[in-house]
């Protein structure tokens, strides 16, 4: 079963639904970054929201970037999403494993207090950024607060990651139910009832339901508008890393050749290691000098 994202409406458009099943992409993030269980849960929840918010973008060259900056042991959780269904992301400190009194992964404590910042990169000159204070650090609650404060849309959000005993990802998903301005009191009552009886999304997906089935099961008259595949995919490249290297001073680049026998550049988002030999660096210097002239 592939990771998918489904957009749907119910009650003739007065309720908007977006569901993402993200098990494989969260497992990929876990493997790339070697995240411990609580870090996997925090990063996985954020990646689910990146997939959902990315799917709302209109153009291919736009992206959403989300930074959850807390004072807990995880450090920053940084994720990005695009409307082609690709996401990428990392946490500063992947080696976090905290459980609470109920023996559940303690994401709240791992994230701590701080802020949630969402930036829409338009591909043009102007980016749009808005930021809210973290409410609980559980991530779902924090995004619900963000939706309400920044877009004045009341929403119910469920994000979850189920981590196995061997630290692999058993299931993961995200669900956003938005109450459109035309919604009636009766609609809101129904939403509250649905949300109250909803099992954790990671459990629903673990039991075998896919994103489409879950969307259809939520309300009586769900209409599916769009469905697409999701994946963890990074946009980094050797060329990009080489361009970053060439921004350093020539003297600094020469130290990599003379003293370090080359250098290694690491992409934060996907943890790919790019090796540059002394010959590669000499070429970067050559390009840099000929570029200046
Ligand atoms: Zn990368």
């Amino acid at each position: 079963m592939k990771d998918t994202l489904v957009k749907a409406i119910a009650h003739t458009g007065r309720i908007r639904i977006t569901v993402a099943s993200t098990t494989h992409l969260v497992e990929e993030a876990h493997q790339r970054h070697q995240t411990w269980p609580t870090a996997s849960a925090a990063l996985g929840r954020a990646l689910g929201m990146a997939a959902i918010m990315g799917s709302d973008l209109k153009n291919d060259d736009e992206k959403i970037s989300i930074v959850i900056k807390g004072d807990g042991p995880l450090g920053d959780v940084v994720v990005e999403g695009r409307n082609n269904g690709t996401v990428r992301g990392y946490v500063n400190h992947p080696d976090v494993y905290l459980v609470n009194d109920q023996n559940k992964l303690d994401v709240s404590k791992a994230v701590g207090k701080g802020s949630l910042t969402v930036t829409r990169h338009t591909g043009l000159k102007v980016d749009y950024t808005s930021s809210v204070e973290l409410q609980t650090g559980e991530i779902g609650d924090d995004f619900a607060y963000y939706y309400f404060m920044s877009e004045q849309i009341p929403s119910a959000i469920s994000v979850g990651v189920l981590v196995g005993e061997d630290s692999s990802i058993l299931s993961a998903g995200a669900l956003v139910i938005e109450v459109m301005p035309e919604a009636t009191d009766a609609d809101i009552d129904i939403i509250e009832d649905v949300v109250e009886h909803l099992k954790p999304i990671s459990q629903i997906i673990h039991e075998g339901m896919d994103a489409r089935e879950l969307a259809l099961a939520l309300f009586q008259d769900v209409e599916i508008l769009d469905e697409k595949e999701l994946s963890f995919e990074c946009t980094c490249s050797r060329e990009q890393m080489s361009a970053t290297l060439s921004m350093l001073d020539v003297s600094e680049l020469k130290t990599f050749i003379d003293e370090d026998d080359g250098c290694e550049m690491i992409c934060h988002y996907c943890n790919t290691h790019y090796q540059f030999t002394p010959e590669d660096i000499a070429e970067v210097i050559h390009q840099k000098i000929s570029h200046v002239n």
Side-chain angles (χ1 to χ4, degrees):
M1 203 157 72
K2 287 176 175 150
D3 290 341
T4 54
L5 180 136
V6 168
K7 280 177 179 296
I9 49 171
H11 296 203
T12 60
R14 300 192 300 276
I15 301 172
R16 196 167 168 254
I17 304 159
T18 316
V19 186
S21 65
T22 57
T23 310
H24 302 288
L25 70 88
V26 177
E27 171 62 20
E28 173 141 8
H30 156 63
Q31 287 183 13
R32 282 181 177 275
H33 297 296
Q34 294 295 305
T35 45
W36 293 11
T38 313
S40 297
L43 180 57
R45 290 179 189 183
L47 284 168
M49 289 309 299
I52 287 182
M53 296 181 87
S55 76
D56 285 331
L57 298 171
K58 300 283 178 285
N59 303 313
D60 293 347
D61 53 357
E62 288 182 294
K63 70 177 177 192
I64 272 290
S65 69
I66 299 165
V67 180
I68 298 167
K69 205 178 229 343
D71 62 2
L74 279 178
D76 297 352
V77 182
V78 182
V79 293
E80 285 186 2
R82 292 168 183 268
N83 80 353
N84 63 0
T86 62
V87 294
R88 61 176 188 167
Y90 64 92
V91 293
N92 280 155
H93 304 291
D95 49 348
V96 176
Y97 188 8
L98 291 172
V99 290
N100 61 21
D101 299 343
Q102 289 94 50
N103 209 28
K104 294 248 165 62
L105 296 174
D106 199 338
V107 172
S108 171
K109 197 169 181 186
V111 168
K113 293 188 187 351
S115 61
L116 162 65
T117 302
V118 178
T119 304
R120 183 160 71 92
H121 302 270
T122 57
L124 302 167
K125 287 207 172 86
V126 190
D127 292 334
Y128 298 93
T129 297
S130 50
S131 195
V132 296
E133 199 180 323
L134 292 172
Q135 298 301 294
T136 62
E138 288 287 348
I139 297 177
D141 302 336
D142 304 309
F143 275 97
Y145 184 66
Y146 172 84
Y147 271 62
F148 189 68
M149 294 306 282
S150 71
E151 301 173 29
Q152 279 78 50
I153 297 176
S155 63
I157 294 183
S158 172
V159 285
V161 176
L162 195 60
V163 182
E165 278 183 16
D166 62 354
S167 292
S168 69
I169 307 304
L170 299 178
S171 66
L175 162 68
V176 176
I177 300 171
E178 289 163 274
V179 184
M180 295 289 107
E182 318 78 69
T184 62
D185 289 346
D187 293 328
I188 292 167
D189 286 346
I190 292 171
I191 292 170
E192 281 174 354
D193 189 54
V194 164
V195 170
E196 196 186 328
H197 295 98
L198 196 68
K199 287 189 263 186
I201 185 159
S202 52
Q203 189 188 334
I204 298 172
I205 290 172
H206 190 55
E207 287 166 2
M209 230 185 214
D210 65 20
R212 170 181 278 263
E213 288 164 342
L214 172 53
L216 289 170
L218 287 171
F219 300 97
Q220 300 283 353
D221 65 341
V222 174
E223 186 189 334
I224 304 281
L225 302 179
D226 188 26
E227 182 166 9
K228 72 174 108 187
E229 267 183 43
L230 296 174
S231 61
F232 186 105
E233 216 170 284
C234 196
T235 49
C236 71
S237 65
R238 196 175 167 81
E239 289 68 35
Q240 210 179 52
M241 289 295 172
S242 176
T244 307
L245 259 188
S246 74
M247 286 189 262
L248 298 175
D249 290 336
V250 169
S251 60
E252 206 168 341
L253 289 167
K254 280 187 171 151
T255 1
F256 291 147
I257 297 178
D258 299 336
E259 292 169 25
D260 303 329
D261 197 31
C263 72
E264 181 181 73
M265 307 249 316
I266 301 168
C267 172
H268 283 306
Y269 284 96
C270 67
N271 205 26
T272 301
H273 294 229
Y274 293 90
Q275 307 293 340
F276 288 85
T277 64
E279 292 74 28
D280 294 333
I281 295 168
E283 178 59 23
V284 169
I285 295 174
H286 177 72
Q287 293 286 342
K288 188 179 164 80
I289 292 169
S290 51
H291 201 72
V292 170
N293 297 331

